[in-house]
Amino acid sequence: MERTRSYLVEKSTDPVYTYLYTDHSRCACHLMFRGELSKLLSSETCHGSDGLYSIEAEFMKSLEVTPEGKEAIKKHVKAWINFASFGDPNHEGLGVVWKKDSVDNPCFLEMGTSWSLKSGIPQPDRIEFWKRMAAKYCKA
């Protein structure tokens, strides 16, 4: 993710909007491993869980969605629609201004139980770990 993000903010003439999805309450593991087992697997959001907003599968219909969850879904889907339609995910109901990511001012939107704009790059400690691993073991 970081390699793609850094390449795009450096080379692309189009705006780059970076985000980190952290809403574990809407995580894919809750669907696959219901109940207590999902708590054992991870306390962090699973890869691809943000995609659950954009699919309508039979197993999704069995989820109980709170009124807050419904609003989060609407906000999320509207951001994707705006981005696909206009190249900008911002909209009136977003609740935050989602700024463009850039080389000089890296930033990302943290999409958790609430959404907030953060300075820097997502999960810098993990990115450094993988950079060290690549430098050590990848001989390209």
Side-chain angles (χ1 to χ4, degrees), residues 25-26 31 34 59-67 69-70:
S25 69
R26 298 222 15 102
L31 297 173
R34 296 189 185 263
F59 66 90
M60 292 293 289
K61 294 177 184 174
S62 66
L63 285 179
E64 293 181 30
V65 181
T66 64
K70 287 179 184 179

Side-chain angles (χ1 to χ4, degrees), residues 63-96:
L63 285 179
E64 293 181 30
V65 181
T66 64
E68 295 83 14
K70 287 179 184 179
E71 288 306 310
I73 291 168
K74 288 178 187 176
K75 180 168 61 170
H76 197 113
V77 170
K78 179 70 173 170
W80 291 167
I81 290 170
N82 274 18
F83 182 74
S85 300
F86 311 112
D88 184 341
N90 287 289
H91 61 85
E92 190 175 294
L94 198 60
V96 64

